[in-house]
Each structure stands twice: as C-alpha cells, then as structure tokens.
C-alpha cells in the first residue's frame, strides 16, 4: 500500500475511533456512565456472572482497569461482587436488578449510536461492517502477536525481514 492510501486509511480509523468514543461518552453521561463501563455491563448482560479475569479478557482491558470499573459500578449499585466458590483469590461479578435495567438503557443508546454511525450507508454495506471491523481488529491485535499467532488473514509478510 502506498503512503497516501495508508495515511488516509489510518487517519480515517483514528478519527472514527475518537469521534465514536466522544459521542458514546455524550450519550452515556446522562446515565452516569463513562466509556468502557457500558461494555462491562453489556458483557455481564450477555454472559451472566463472570470472574474479573474473564471480564478483562472479554473486554480487552488490563485487569486494573476492570477492577476500577467494577468498583465504580458496585458503588453505584449496578453490580455486586462475591468471592468465587472455587478460588478465594477470584471475585465473581454479576449484575444487580438496577444493573440489568441500566444495561437495557445502554442497549437503546447503543442502537442509537450505531444508527448515527452508519447513517447514509447502503444497508448491505452497514450489515457487512462488523465482520470487516472484526477482521481489521484481529489484524492489529497485539495479543495475537504476543501469543505467536500469524498476521491477519490476507496480510502479506515481507520474507526479507523475517
């Protein structure tokens, strides 16, 4: 890929990321949430109770970030923590009734944000975006590189530098 194309692609991704996060923050603020907390609530809503290490993996966050989110959401009454029955070092996190209600409100906001984000796009293009963006994320996921996985599908490696 030439520099002009690479620059245009990287700038577009960077700006989308920044603006999407800012818009999400604006939508979440009236609910008393900060970006990232909604992902934790939605993960618990999807999966049920989880230990914090599982949440960290699922959210792609460092454990200290999850711990801070959990503490704030527990203080606001949206989640509760209990010791894991099989491992006293682990903590199980689950939604409270208030947390389930908040997750429902977040789902509505998430639909609104998604509609805003894809406004004006052909429906078929919009429907294909999750798969494309997931593949792009996998291509740059440092966790894949740390575990010795190859580069993303379709990425050519320079054999002269290996």
């Amino acid at each position: 890929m030439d520099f002009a194309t690479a620059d245009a692609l990287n700038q577009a991704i960077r700006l989308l990321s920044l603006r999407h996060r800012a818009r999400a923050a604006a939508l979440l603020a009236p609910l008393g949430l900060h970006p990232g907390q909604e992902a934790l609530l939605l993960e618990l809503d999807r999966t049920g109770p989880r230990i914090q290490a599982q949440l960290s993996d699922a959210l792609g966050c460092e454990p200290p970030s999850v711990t801070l989110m959990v503490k704030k959401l527990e203080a606001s009454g949206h989640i509760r923590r209990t010791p894991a029955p099989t491992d006293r070092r682990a903590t199980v996190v689950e939604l409270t009734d208030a947390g389930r209600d908040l997750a429902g409100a977040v789902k509505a906001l998430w639909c609104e944000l998604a509609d805003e984000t894809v406004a004006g796009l052909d429906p078929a293009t919009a429907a294909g975006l999750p798969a494309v963006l997931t593949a792009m994320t996998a291509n740059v996921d440092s966790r894949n590189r740390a575990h010795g996985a190859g580069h993303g599908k379709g990425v050519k490696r320079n054999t002269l530098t290996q």
Side-chain angles (χ1 to χ4, degrees), residues 86-160:
T86 58
D87 182 353
R88 285 287 188 213
R89 296 169 296 168
T91 302
V92 176
V93 181
E94 64 182 316
L95 291 175
T96 61
D97 289 340
R100 275 186 282 288
D101 291 344
L102 185 57
V106 169
K107 288 177 184 180
L109 290 179
W110 238 217
C111 290
E112 179 183 340
L113 180 57
D115 286 340
E116 287 180 21
T117 303
V118 300
L121 294 181
D122 174 80
T125 299
L129 284 175
V132 170
L133 294 170
T134 298
M136 291 170 68
T137 300
N139 288 343
V140 297
D141 191 341
S142 61
R143 293 176 299 172
N144 288 342
R145 285 177 180 47
H147 293 99
H151 293 287
K153 193 179 213 180
V155 175
K156 294 179 185 174
R157 296 184 73 187
N158 182 342
T159 56
L160 297 176

Side-chain angles (χ1 to χ4, degrees), residues 61-96:
C61 294
E62 294 297 320
S65 297
V66 171
T67 298
L68 183 60
M69 283 191 280
V70 165
K71 284 181 181 178
K72 288 181 178 182
L73 290 168
E74 182 180 38
S76 65
H78 295 106
I79 62 171
R80 77 177 129 261
R81 295 186 293 173
T82 56
T86 58
D87 182 353
R88 285 287 188 213
R89 296 169 296 168
T91 302
V92 176
V93 181
E94 64 182 316
L95 291 175
T96 61

